[in-house]
């Protein structure tokens, strides 16, 4: 299964689910984009760089490959949770806001585009799920000239 045919295609397909936040200056030579959104700081593999993002407000499609995802058990509180694990993976709980073949957009403090390789559960829009991603998370920066270096 292929998750994307190009960075531009993936960014365009999921642009409506971009997280809004703040990009911080990248360390020279680092492929990681430091992005704060939803009260969390995420280190994202910069899929549009290197050095494509200027520090400041930004919209970024945050994409993770799933280690696991499944329905939240009955009786579990329906609140959004998101915890950062290690340098570039997350786990949490949230509501499915879009469902495509093998990919779900989950609102968990910020919108996350989450994809699974292989067998995946049947999840519908509105379902509450618990999930954990593999590192690294990927970041697809949206924006025009205001986000590109001069």
């Amino acid at each position: 299964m292929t998750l994307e045919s190009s960075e531009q295609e993936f960014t365009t397909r999921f642009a409506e689910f971009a997280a809004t936040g703040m990009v911080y200056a990248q360390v020279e030579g680092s492929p990681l984009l430091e992005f704060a959104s939803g009260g969390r700081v995420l280190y994202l593999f910069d899929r549009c760089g290197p050095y494509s993002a200027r520090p400041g407000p930004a919209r970024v499609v945050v994409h993770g490959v799933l280690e696991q995802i499944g329905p939240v058990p009955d009786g579990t509180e329906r609140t959004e949770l998101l915890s950062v694990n290690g340098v570039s993976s997350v786990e949490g709980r949230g509501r499915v806001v879009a469902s495509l073949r093998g990919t779900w957009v989950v609102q968990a403090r910020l919108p996350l585009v989450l994809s699974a390789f292989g067998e995946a559960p049947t999840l519908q829009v509105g379902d509450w799920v618990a999930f954990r991603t593999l590192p690294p998370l990927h970041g697809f920066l949206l924006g025009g000239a205001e986000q590109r270096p001069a």
Side-chain angles (χ1 to χ4, degrees), residues 55-143:
R59 294 183 61 231
V60 177
V61 175
V62 178
H63 179 246
V65 173
L66 289 161
E67 183 175 349
Q68 86 179 45
I69 191 168
V72 170
D74 289 339
T76 303
E77 187 178 354
R78 302 301 200 244
T79 56
E80 296 177 15
L81 297 175
L82 188 65
S83 299
V84 177
N85 297 327
V87 173
S88 187
S89 67
V90 292
E91 67 180 302
R93 179 172 64 216
R95 186 175 55 83
V96 176
V97 296
S99 178
L100 303 127
R101 187 177 45 108
T103 298
W104 303 272
V105 179
V106 176
Q107 177 63 41
R109 297 185 61 95
L110 63 132
L112 301 165
V113 178
L114 303 174
S115 299
F117 286 110
E119 240 179 273
T122 301
L123 300 170
Q124 305 296 321
V125 171
D127 289 349
W128 279 83
V129 295
F131 60 88
R132 183 171 51 244
T133 67
L134 297 166
L137 292 170
H138 291 223
F140 296 81
L141 182 71
L142 271 72

